[in-house]
Amino acid sequence: MSEHKLQVEAINRGTVIDHIPKGNGIKIVHRIQKLSPHVRLTVGLNLPSKDMGQKDLVKVDDWLFSEQQAYELALFAPDATINVIDNYEVVNKYKMSLPDTLEGVVPCPNSNCISHNEPVQSRFKVFPRGEHVSLQCHYCERTFNDSLFT
């Protein structure tokens, strides 16, 4: 019986985002590339998981998240695990969490919202909905699900 093992390069310093719901890893990658277009990423999609059945995983080389960046990424994976890596070792591990409000992270999808025409930052109330998240705009008061924020 032969042993099959996937080989994924370990990172010296950076962040590993684990337990991302299947299919949301690409959304996380797009957000990270908007925050830092030249960052080096390793992505695993539809990986086997005992707890989730399948999961996605993203390794970010030489980059540690700010609190604001972690909130933004939590929109797509509110229960994901963050592993902070230094010298090839996990030095900190924590769960992502959703904030009660988000400011200036994503624009309001409502093109008629005043936030598009006035010098104000977008502001949303955050509502967890199982594996998904809904956002209610402070200005137009419309509620949107996370599929509108990519």
Side-chain angles (χ1 to χ4, degrees):
M1 183 169 155
S2 67
E3 184 175 317
H4 298 283
K5 188 172 183 178
L6 296 175
Q7 296 290 321
V8 178
E9 181 179 322
I11 57 175
N12 178 24
R13 180 178 181 272
T15 305
V16 176
I17 308 169
D18 197 4
H19 303 109
I20 300 169
K22 176 181 118 178
N24 284 2
I26 293 298
K27 292 178 182 177
I28 298 277
V29 167
H30 286 291
R31 298 308 288 184
I32 291 171
Q33 288 182 322
K34 284 184 179 179
L35 296 168
S36 183
H38 303 293
V39 71
R40 186 172 160 202
L41 299 167
T42 304
V43 181
L45 302 175
N46 301 325
L47 301 173
S49 168
K50 277 192 266 182
D51 297 333
M52 303 171 69
Q54 289 184 310
K55 67 178 182 179
D56 294 346
L57 178 138
V58 176
K59 290 184 172 186
V60 188
D61 193 30
D62 202 27
W63 191 50
L64 303 176
F65 301 140
S66 68
E67 186 175 346
Q68 183 69 25
Q69 292 165 337
Y71 285 154
E72 183 175 342
L73 297 176
L75 288 175
F76 308 106
D79 296 322
T81 304
I82 301 288
N83 296 289
V84 179
I85 310 295
D86 190 24
N87 199 23
Y88 298 101
E89 305 251 342
V90 176
V91 295
N92 192 9
K93 185 174 188 172
Y94 57 93
K95 287 272 193 190
M96 279 194 190
S97 62
L98 287 169
D100 295 330
T101 60
L102 279 175
E103 290 189 33
V105 174
V106 292
C108 181
N110 176 9
S111 60
N112 294 324
C113 179
I114 194 169
S115 65
H116 292 286
N117 300 318
E118 297 292 328
V120 294
Q121 284 193 328
S122 63
R123 187 180 340 163
F124 296 92
K125 287 183 185 175
V126 178
F127 300 99
R129 307 265 192 243
E131 290 184 3
H132 297 278
V133 176
S134 293
L135 301 178
Q136 182 181 34
C137 178
H138 171 77
Y139 302 104
C140 70
E141 300 182 347
R142 291 183 64 182
T143 301
F144 306 94
N145 67 35
D146 57 3
S147 66
L148 295 175
F149 301 94
T150 57

